[in-house]
Amino acid sequence: MTQPSRPQDGRAALASFVTNRLGRTNARPASTEIKAPPANESAQDFEKLTGYRELRLQRSAADLIGLGNPFFRVHETRAGANTRIEGQTYSNYSSYDYLGLNGHPAVSGAARKAIEAFGTSASASRIVAGERPGHLKLERALAAHYRTDACVVLVSGHATNVTAIGAILEAPDVIFHDALIHNSVVTGAQLSGAQRRSFAHNDPAALEKLLEATRHEHRRALIVIEGLYSMDGDAPDLAAFVELKRRYDCWLMVDDAHGLGVLGRTGAGLHEHCGVEAGDVDIWMGTLSKTLSSCGGYICGPSALIEYLKCTAGGFVYSVGMSPPLAAAAEAALTVMQAEPERVERLRRNGNQFLALAKKHGLNTGSSLGLAVIPIIVGDSLKAVTLSDRLFKRGINVQPIIHPAVPERSSRLRFFMTSEHTPEQIAQTVATVAEELSALETGATLIEQLMARRGA
């Protein structure tokens, strides 16, 4: 394997490396021509996969420069406001445990009781193996929360969007979605065969122009937005989207994965945040892995929709049923969330403190509302990865979000807040971020000046 021989070559390779998300890219060669491998090589060799050799070179460049891989670190304790990695404690901003319910006695106790009664597995799909009481109890609780007729829970949040949208829509239909919508929605739309049209982020006026121009061309139409956007920490004007779905005869689906437990005075979700009746939304989708400290996803909506999904959606029909302890844990977490709104208030205070301090230090937080998700936008991918590495060395664990997850010039560090972070911890973190970013930018400026002088 050939390694870069000069530091500047290494930095160039690393820039390409992080731009491709440390070697993971969806890019494909421009040419679609398929060439046969040489006689002494096999096309079945995994090392011949597109981009694999470049991946290895890029990782070698990262090692040469001394940047560690910020992904896939092994955590030695439960996710929360703090974590332990290789025996060292870190302030943790890479956890979805927004209300500190992961490990809560009531949540863990419910899971233990479910294990004692039902074991760790549903053993087969719910159609084959039958229901367990915990499945039905969780579904009833979620349906009541969103004031819908019924609910279905699935074992994966990503698969929930993919399989539900894939089952609901067909080729004559169309899906209108926010330009920053989650990958699972896009994948579901592709599976369905429906036309897919995106509109500018959080822009009802842009959606209205699309609806006016194209809605008549299709049979059924689905509008999909998110509650709290996980990259930017902002939320849509739900009332405006409800008005459009009524006027243009569409279904409206809200992916409330990051909204539940975060948005609204009691954390009920986007509808509470916007003062809109939950019933004005046709389909509520969410995940169990964030505020509810479990794993899986759910769809809440009319009885006919839920019955249809339980009988036709591949991600439900052909998948094992949710593990009984996970269902029990999620239902218990929902109960605690509803009984202890002070957790939501603590989360709100923490987010507001972080956002205010970040702005005071001149950090770019984009359009974040200062709730559970607060980005610090730094620009290019290499800078984001380098800043993350510097913070890790100072006891702060936060992940870089880089191209193609976000546009190249808007790479960022994404801070997930919890109700369990302390005011002192937050103040120290923001001050450290500002200090390290300033040092990083000063260093980059000095290098540019030096290179300019040498060029002259």
Side-chain angles (χ1 to χ4, degrees), residues 112-318:
R112 280 193 292 268
K113 288 181 181 179
I115 290 175
E116 292 171 0
F118 304 103
T120 57
S121 174
S123 82
S125 71
R126 288 164 61 181
I127 291 178
V128 174
E131 302 282 21
R132 299 297 183 273
H135 297 145
L136 302 179
K137 189 176 181 182
L138 173 59
E139 288 171 344
R140 285 195 294 266
L142 287 167
H145 179 83
Y146 286 106
R147 300 175 186 175
T148 60
D149 296 338
C151 171
V152 58
V153 296
L154 297 91
V155 296
S156 161
H158 188 280
T160 296
N161 269 335
V162 173
T163 197
I165 295 172
I168 293 169
L169 300 179
E170 298 174 313
D173 304 329
V174 62
I175 176 171
F176 299 94
H177 64 77
D178 190 288
L180 300 186
I181 206 70
H182 194 267
N183 167 270
S184 56
V185 173
V186 175
T187 304
Q190 292 170 337
L191 175 65
S192 73
Q195 291 290 311
R196 181 170 63 87
R197 305 183 190 279
S198 66
F199 54 89
H201 178 53
N202 277 347
D203 190 343
L207 172 60
E208 183 172 9
K209 289 180 181 179
L210 273 178
L211 289 168
E212 185 176 8
T214 65
R215 173 64 186 96
H216 66 280
E217 298 174 357
H218 305 279
R219 182 183 57 179
R220 300 187 183 96
L222 174 69
I223 300 168
V224 188
I225 58 176
E226 294 186 28
L228 186 75
Y229 284 86
S230 62
M231 293 295 175
D232 295 273
D234 55 2
D237 178 359
L238 181 59
F241 286 98
V242 168
E243 194 277 332
L244 287 175
K245 76 103 178 179
R246 286 174 173 163
R247 183 146 40 104
Y248 288 93
D249 188 26
C250 305
W251 289 318
L252 175 61
M253 178 177 181
V254 175
D255 179 337
D256 214 25
H258 292 271
L260 180 66
V262 175
L263 295 173
R265 183 181 60 83
T266 68
L270 182 63
H271 61 286
E272 185 180 46
H273 175 76
C274 294
V276 173
E277 291 294 327
D280 289 341
V281 173
D282 301 284
I283 305 171
W284 286 99
M285 179 271 172
T287 56
L288 307 175
S289 56
K290 298 171 180 66
T291 289
L292 300 187
S293 301
S294 183
C295 190
Y298 58 86
I299 295 287
C300 294
S303 296
L305 169 66
I306 303 306
E307 181 182 4
Y308 175 76
L309 291 176
K310 284 186 173 182
C311 294
T312 64
F316 182 84
V317 174
Y318 300 108

Side-chain angles (χ1 to χ4, degrees), residues 14 18-19 66 83 97 134 173-174 229 253 271 293 342 383 397 426:
L14 181 60
V18 296
T19 296
T83 190
D97 187 26
D173 304 329
V174 62
Y229 284 86
M253 178 177 181
H271 61 286
S293 301
E342 62 271 18
K383 183 186 292 186
N397 183 57
I426 293 168

Side-chain angles (χ1 to χ4, degrees), residues 97-113:
D97 187 26
Y98 295 138
L99 299 184
L101 298 177
N102 185 28
H104 187 284
V107 177
S108 298
R112 280 193 292 268
K113 288 181 181 179

